[in-house]
Amino acid sequence: MGYLSHVECSVCGAFHDPKELLTVCEKCGQMLVARYHMDRVAAAVNKEDLHRRPPGMYRFRELTPLENGEQLVTLGEGSTPLLSLTRLGSHLGLQHLLAKDEGQNPTGTFKARGLGMAVTKARTLGVKGLMLPSAGNAGGAAAVYGARAGLPVAVVVPRDTPAAAVAEAILAGARVFTIEGTIANAGQVVAKVARELGWFDLSTLKEPYRLEGKKTMGLELAEQLGWSAPDILIYPTGGGTGLVGIWKAYQELAGLGWVKNRPPRFVAVQAEGCAPVVKAWTEKSPVTVPWENPVTNAPGLRVPSPFAGRQILQVLRDTDGLAVAVSEAEIVEAQRLMARMEGIWTAPEAAATLAALLRLKDAGHLPRQARIVLLLTGAGIKNPPPPLPPPLDLTGPEETLLERVKTALGR
Ligand SMILES: *Cc1c(COP(=O)(O)O)cnc(C)c1O
Ligand SMILES: [Zn+2]
């Protein structure tokens, strides 16, 4: 017996039995969410017990959908550091600038949390194979967890998906298909084919457990901040799983009485070339509409029609948050700045959080003392690097070696 009580629809509230393999709401087709027996959770664990547990996202097992003794499909995801960005902070005149570095997860992105949890549950519930559309990182993560679970995996990605994520999936034995267009086109293929194959569709938020994996970011963040919330949390938003997940974590922790202050104000960051959430937010619309011709070099942000657009916008409203779009040039500049000032080569999506921070700072939206967390969703090495000067080759006459080095170093 675990702590999950039921799974319910985020829109119509219809109950669903978690012993079944669940996808979306049977009644209205919307996103499902897991609910727990909070009284049992509260009786089973306290903050002090948690401190003594080994690292990893399953430390919070009472707030996960796991049954007692359920076999995990894990590579050690979670327990990523909350880094203090002291140099960048003082450069920007901010006293408490922090980054949760999800690039330190297996597969180099936070997708490991969601897919690790979803594959664990899918295997327990007896699926034959896994299929999903992806901008790259989700497909790579599904492939590696599928390999560990001994399940076949098929991934459909846009043609221009970064090579590292495609290689990661193929190396792990997945079948990778490409398609012209975006993750939305890939999603249409999976919707048509997975059911016929009898394989399980792991699309973002079209099953309830990827969200529970990503939720553990919020549980960790709260613990790392001494069971509190930051003032502002800046999140690069594609499908929105992490944003909704972190918000859900703070809801549950408030329910347990572990976190007393208000949840963070969520800032959803998107790229100017694909900003359905920002557009809906600006127009005060409760739902997103599909973005025409999405273009950005941040693959995880090229999601023209997030399935959970409505829920993302709800989180922004509930937390007095906001949505910001940044340009490709700002993303590249932020990626360079983060590496130069703090030594973190972060993914373009993640760099977008810093680009948004710079905008908010310039607009005077950020008090000096605010506790601000940038959610760095992935490692830079999974994407092509930004344009860089070439290294200097030192092959040549030995007499001039020192001079050449000195000139290059400006000494
Ligand atoms: C998938 C992805 C995102 C977007 O995440 P969502 O939770 O779906 O909004 C951001 N950054 C990276 C590196 C990603 O792989
Ligand atoms: Zn419903």
Side-chain angles (χ1 to χ4, degrees):
M1 192 189 67
Y3 295 85
L4 195 59
S5 78
H6 63 281
V7 172
E8 72 186 20
C9 176
S10 60
V11 175
C12 80
F15 274 45
H16 292 70
D17 181 359
K19 292 197 185 58
E20 312 267 311
L21 190 61
L22 298 173
T23 55
V24 293
C25 177
E26 284 168 5
K27 293 236 164 70
C28 75
Q30 289 282 338
M31 170 192 142
L32 295 177
V33 286
R35 300 291 181 213
Y36 297 89
H37 293 290
M38 281 304 185
D39 48 341
R40 270 197 232 157
V41 174
V45 61
N46 61 46
K47 300 176 196 171
E48 289 67 40
D49 299 337
L50 269 177
H51 284 301
R52 286 188 289 273
R53 292 186 181 172
M57 73 173 182
Y58 294 103
R59 303 172 62 240
F60 302 98
R61 64 173 176 272
E62 290 85 354
L63 287 174
T64 71
L66 298 182
E67 294 293 318
N68 271 349
E70 186 165 347
Q71 284 293 310
L72 302 179
V73 186
T74 179
L75 290 162
E77 51 293 332
S79 291
T80 57
L82 183 63
L83 303 170
S84 187
L85 304 183
T86 324
R87 291 192 69 221
L88 192 53
S90 59
H91 175 69
L92 299 175
L94 296 168
Q95 286 171 348
H96 303 287
L97 183 60
L98 302 156
K100 185 135 177 82
D101 188 9
E102 290 291 305
Q104 298 193 36
N105 273 300
T107 76
T109 80
F110 71 156
K111 292 291 195 304
R113 295 182 191 258
L115 273 308
M117 188 73 80
V119 173
T120 292
K121 292 306 298 178
R123 182 178 66 176
T124 301
L125 293 163
V127 306
K128 287 199 300 190
L130 305 165
M131 190 164 189
L132 73 164
S134 169
N137 291 327
V144 305
Y145 289 100
R148 256 174 113 69
L151 285 169
V153 177
V155 182
V156 186
V157 297
R159 262 191 214 143
D160 54 2
T161 297
V166 172
E168 175 179 48
I170 298 174
L171 258 175
R175 192 72 174 100
V176 176
F177 302 94
T178 58
I179 191 154
E180 178 69 38
T182 70
I183 191 171
N185 306 92
Q188 285 156 9
V189 171
V190 172
K192 285 203 188 100
V193 171
R195 192 203 308 250
E196 297 298 324
L197 281 174
W199 284 20
F200 190 58
D201 179 352
L202 275 177
S203 297
T204 304
L205 296 169
K206 292 191 177 168
E207 60 74 51
Y209 303 124
R210 273 175 73 172
L211 181 65
E212 294 306 290
K214 286 213 179 160
K215 181 185 82 180
T216 60
M217 286 190 286
L219 302 174
E220 277 174 26
L221 180 62
E223 186 182 27
Q224 286 168 319
L225 291 171
W227 299 107
S228 71
D231 298 303
I232 297 170
L233 188 133
I234 309 187
Y235 187 88
T237 308
T241 336
L243 182 140
V244 176
I246 294 170
W247 176 80
K248 186 172 190 280
Y250 274 103
Q251 296 291 105
E252 291 175 358
L253 292 172
L256 288 171
W258 289 13
V259 170
K260 300 263 171 11
N261 65 333
R262 43 174 277 173
R265 298 177 65 182
F266 283 84
V267 178
V269 185
Q270 300 200 297
E272 281 177 353
C274 181
V277 171
V278 179
K279 182 162 189 287
W281 177 254
T282 312
E283 293 171 357
K284 298 193 171 19
S285 163
V287 291
T288 51
V289 294
W291 187 271
E292 302 286 333
N293 300 322
V295 271
T296 166
N297 291 321
L301 303 186
R302 199 147 74 94
V303 182
S305 185
F307 179 57
R310 171 199 297 267
Q311 289 82 358
I312 296 168
L313 291 161
Q314 182 76 44
V315 169
L316 300 185
R317 280 197 302 276
D318 280 3
T319 64
D320 189 21
L322 76 163
V324 183
V326 296
S327 70
E328 298 301 303
E330 287 174 281
I331 291 175
V332 170
E333 201 33 59
Q335 197 180 24
R336 293 166 181 278
L337 185 64
M338 181 66 88
R340 208 164 57 233
M341 307 267 330
E342 297 290 353
I344 303 169
W345 180 8
T346 203
E349 297 90 335
T353 64
L354 176 55
L357 179 85
L358 298 175
R359 281 223 180 172
L360 296 177
K361 183 78 186 49
D362 288 345
H365 283 318
L366 300 175
R368 231 183 123 64
Q369 329 74 319
R371 229 166 25 160
I372 303 167
V373 173
L374 306 181
L375 217 303
L376 303 185
T377 45
I381 45 170
K382 290 202 78 182
N383 303 79
L388 297 169
L392 181 68
D393 190 72
L394 290 177
T395 317
E398 211 164 303
E399 311 85 74
T400 59
L401 179 64
L402 182 60
E403 266 325 298
R404 283 180 284 139
V405 171
K406 277 183 155 177
T407 311
L409 295 177
R411 298 291 146 116

